[in-house]
Each structure stands twice: as structure tokens, then as C-alpha cells.
Amino acid sequence: MVRSPAHFKGSQLPACLLCSVIPLTTIMNMLCRVGQIRRCAASLSQAQVVASRQKHTLPDLTYDYGALEPHISAEIMQLHHSKHHATYVNNLNVTEEKYQEALAKGDVTTQVALQPALKFNGGGHINHTIFWTNLSPNGGGEPQGELMEAIKRDFGSLQKMKEKMSAATIAVQGSGWGWLGYDKENGRLRIAACANQDPLQGTTGLIPLLGIDVWEHAYYLQYKNVRPDYVKAIWNVINWENVSERLQTAKK
Ligand SMILES: [Fe+2]
């Protein structure tokens, strides 16, 4: 029970100078106001965290949509980049916003329910961002220096590495990716395949160096159902300099 000073008599008065000059009800009202202000401030800071979070954006290509022809058509590149990748970016931003809200509320059930969307759209954004830089109109040929030495050491030759990666990539059931990755544990290169948009590092621990997208949106308009022809052609536009740079970064 809240008692005002009128309820106290003689020695019952609280030994508080503040209470002796300001009615207790006024003090209680002031404390309530402080609590409200604190709660408002907490809500505001949560909203600011959500609002100030950096949004993901679609990265620009460093070459024209038609620059990889005849190996990958301009129509495929345009749809693939401006529609498919853009959709992963948009859905990742929406998912992250919902996740931040759930985090702020301490809503673990919603956080768990959002994990598949985070993996799918986050993986889609990560994978495609790497993919565009793995390709170049001036690509093809052979890698140089340390990358070539590592390929020879771990696969025997460039040709054997390409054969092994092509086979693993073509064999992906449904939609997915073939990868050349770096195993930081033993310093070696490895071939791997991932289903759907599962990101290589997040699901296997391998650091991605070179990815081949074998979702049908990556080749169907040009190669129809003949995935092996698409995988064979893509070696003509592989940007080995980018793969080499990724290896150097991965080894640090
Ligand atoms: Fe794709």
C-alpha cells in the first residue's frame, strides 16, 4: 500500500528529507515517469538498431550482361543477376528485419523458424556474389603461380581438377553448386558440391574459391536440359586471377 505523508504521525515519519518536503504521492508519480521514460528509451534503442542495420545490396557486375557470350548468353546473365540474385538480396533483408525484431522481443521460436529462410537467401546472396567475380570475358586459359602449383599438388593436373569438379557439379541432384574450396585445416584444395543455396563455408567449413551455379536458371535458356554442355563451356570464362586472389586471402 502506498501511504501519503498524512498517514504518518510523529516518529512514524520516514527519515528522508525529500519525503519531508514533497508529498509521497508526488514522488511515486515522479518514479513512475522515470520508469516510463526508461521503457521508452529501451524501445527507441531497439527500433534504432533495426532501422540502422545495413541493408544488403545487389553488387554491380564489372562486365556487360552480353560480355560472356557465346558461353553464357546475355539473356541468362540479365535474368540471373537482376532478377534471381536481386530476389535473394531482397528476401535476405526482409528475413533479417524479422529476425532482428524477434531478437529484440526475445522470441526464440520465431528466430528458429526464420533459420531456413536465412540460410536460403543468405546463401543465395553469398554464392552469387562470389560467382560473378569468378567469371570474366577475359577468362579461361590456365591459372598461374601458387594456384596452379596447389592444383597440381592436390589433383595431379589442371585437367584432372577440371574433370573432377565438372563431374561433381554435373552430379548435383536438383539445384545446387559445385565448388573448389580451400581447407584451412590442412592447407589443401578440395572439390565439394552443395545442395540448393547452402553456402560452402557455412555448411562445410571450406573457404570458397570457385563456384559453378547449376540451378536451371543459370543455363536452361541456352543449354536446355544439357547441364554437361554448360559446365564444359563455363571453363572458357573462368577468372583465374580472381580464384588466385581468393586463395591468397584464404591462406592468411
Ligand atoms: Fe543462380
Side-chain angles (χ1 to χ4, degrees), residues 11-244:
S11 60
Q12 285 183 299
L13 278 169
C16 169
L17 182 61
L18 186 65
C19 294
S20 66
V21 294
I22 304 174
L24 191 56
T25 48
T26 305
I27 294 171
M28 294 304 291
N29 286 338
M30 288 167 63
L31 291 173
C32 284
R33 291 280 303 278
V34 170
Q36 284 171 349
I37 290 167
R38 281 188 180 149
R39 284 193 292 277
C40 283
S43 304
L44 188 61
S45 77
Q46 286 169 1
Q48 283 172 330
V49 166
V50 172
S52 66
R53 185 179 56 77
Q54 192 84 31
K55 296 271 188 188
H56 299 284
T57 55
L58 182 67
D60 291 330
L61 299 188
T62 58
Y63 44 84
D64 293 337
Y65 287 137
L68 303 182
E69 289 190 343
H71 309 294
I72 304 178
S73 74
E75 187 181 19
I76 285 177
M77 288 300 293
Q78 182 176 14
L79 286 168
H80 200 172
H81 177 258
S82 69
K83 302 296 181 187
H84 292 280
H85 189 174
T87 301
Y88 295 121
V89 171
N90 293 339
N91 288 340
L92 175 60
N93 284 325
V94 169
T95 305
E96 282 194 347
E97 198 162 315
K98 288 179 182 173
Y99 194 89
Q100 290 285 346
E101 288 168 7
L103 204 61
K105 291 178 189 168
D107 181 353
V108 181
T109 299
T110 300
Q111 289 172 48
V112 171
L114 287 168
Q115 293 297 320
L118 198 60
K119 186 178 186 181
F120 184 73
N121 295 297
H125 182 37
I126 290 170
N127 293 340
H128 287 89
T129 300
I130 295 168
F131 185 59
W132 309 130
T133 64
N134 280 164
L135 305 176
S136 166
N138 305 314
E142 296 186 348
Q144 304 295 318
E146 208 169 333
L147 175 60
M148 189 59 154
E149 293 307 312
I151 288 173
K152 285 179 180 171
R153 180 195 65 205
D154 296 334
F155 301 100
S157 68
L158 175 63
Q159 187 57 32
K160 284 183 179 172
M161 187 282 283
K162 287 165 75 171
E163 286 170 6
K164 187 172 182 181
M165 184 167 171
S166 294
T169 305
I170 292 165
V172 169
Q173 293 183 336
S175 301
W177 292 72
W179 289 100
L180 174 68
Y182 178 70
D183 187 338
K184 213 170 172 73
E185 292 286 313
N186 57 22
R188 292 190 174 268
L189 303 178
R190 273 177 51 192
I191 302 295
C194 289
N196 304 312
Q197 293 295 356
D198 295 359
L200 183 70
Q201 191 166 6
T203 50
T204 68
L206 296 174
I207 300 171
L209 306 178
L210 169 62
I212 300 179
D213 184 350
V214 283
W215 279 62
E216 286 188 343
H217 67 224
Y219 63 87
Y220 203 87
L221 285 174
Q222 187 174 359
Y223 294 92
K224 302 296 185 285
N225 60 317
V226 192
R227 183 187 281 180
D229 283 358
Y230 156 70
V231 172
K232 185 179 178 185
I234 205 169
W235 292 109
N236 294 311
V237 286
I238 294 300
N239 183 351
W240 289 114
E241 284 182 19
N242 178 261
V243 182
S244 291

